[in-house]
Every structure is written in C-alpha cells, then in structure tokens.
Amino acid sequence: MSAQFDLDFGDADHGGIFFVTSEDLEPLAEAAGMQGLRVCRISLADYTDHDALFDRLTLALRLPADFGRNWDALADSMRDLSWLKATGYILLFDHAEQMRNRNEDDFDTLLDILEEAVDYWQDADTPFFVFFALPESAFDDTDA
C-alpha cells in the first residue's frame, strides 16, 4: 500500500490513530524521528493475551517498575510518559491484525485507551501519533 501521509509530526493537532501497512512503519518512524518524536515500536505478532501486551509495552515504552500491568495503569501511563523525555511520541504497532483476530475485546480496549491518550496529548499541545499496521487486504475496497 505504501500510503503517502501529509502529517506534520511537530503539530499536536495532527495527532491521532491511523491504520497503515507494515511497509509504512519505517518511513513513518524516520519522518517522526527527524522531527524529534520518541519512536516506540511494538510488535503484536503472536499475540496471546493482555499480559503479553503489557510485557511488550513495558519494553517499548520503558514503563516504570511500578507499572500496574492492567488496563487502568496503561491508561494512566499513556497520559504521562514523562520518563521518555521527548517533545512528542509515535507508537508503531506491527501485526495489529493478530491481536485483533485473537481477542477483539483487548484490541478495542487498547484503541479506547489510545484514543483517550491522543485527546490528552492534544490538549497538552504535545504530538502523539499511533499507527497500527494491518495487512494490505484489510484496505481492500469491499464495496466494489
């Protein structure tokens, strides 16, 4: 798919949640990194459960040792991130379809938490972008 994005990663108003293909992640990481954002990559390949997700997020986001390893703690952490010392953040989730296919409730909960985080960071005038990579087939036009 290799989408073209007209995003200003330095502008908090452009933040949000976006769905892309895996091949889009590297160019997005490079562009955001060049604008000073903290790039965090999270693979959802072989998703098993939310405990495994918390493990992966702990590594990618360097979550504090006292991270509570539950959805509420994740929501709190997504609205803090002070330990990452950055002017903005970009979260790149690869293989999102594996989490969505394995446990749609977990996927929806993660999306809800990240949507709240986007709103929080926009209010704080801090760039916050989230990209979920899905297979190209997810973007096929089914109305044709």
Side-chain angles (χ1 to χ4, degrees), residues 15-17 74-81 89 91 110-124 126-130:
I17 297 174
L74 181 60
D76 292 343
S77 295
M78 289 295 97
R79 292 186 307 266
D80 185 352
L81 302 176
Y89 310 93
L91 309 183
L110 178 60
L111 282 176
D112 289 344
I113 288 169
L114 293 171
E115 285 174 8
E116 290 175 10
V118 166
D119 292 341
Y120 172 85
W121 289 111
Q122 282 178 337
D123 289 345
T126 300
F128 186 83
F129 294 82
V130 180

Side-chain angles (χ1 to χ4, degrees), residues 22-105:
S22 290
E23 66 186 29
D24 295 319
L25 295 181
E26 187 58 33
L28 289 165
E30 288 177 18
M34 289 176 58
Q35 290 192 31
L37 272 66
R38 175 58 155 252
V39 178
C40 301
R41 296 173 182 259
I42 303 98
S43 174
L44 298 175
D46 303 319
Y47 181 83
T48 54
D49 57 27
H50 57 267
D51 286 327
L53 173 68
F54 297 147
D55 289 342
R56 294 173 189 191
L57 289 169
T58 296
L59 289 174
L61 299 172
R62 299 183 191 172
L63 295 173
D66 63 353
F67 169 61
R69 300 185 53 79
N70 60 56
W71 294 118
D72 288 337
L74 181 60
D76 292 343
S77 295
M78 289 295 97
R79 292 186 307 266
D80 185 352
L81 302 176
S82 60
W83 58 89
L84 291 179
K85 307 283 188 240
T87 59
Y89 310 93
I90 181 171
L91 309 183
L92 304 171
F93 290 90
D94 204 1
H95 304 288
E97 78 283 358
Q98 293 188 27
M99 179 183 187
R100 186 187 63 192
N101 294 343
R102 178 81 186 226
N103 190 322
E104 195 169 346
D105 288 340

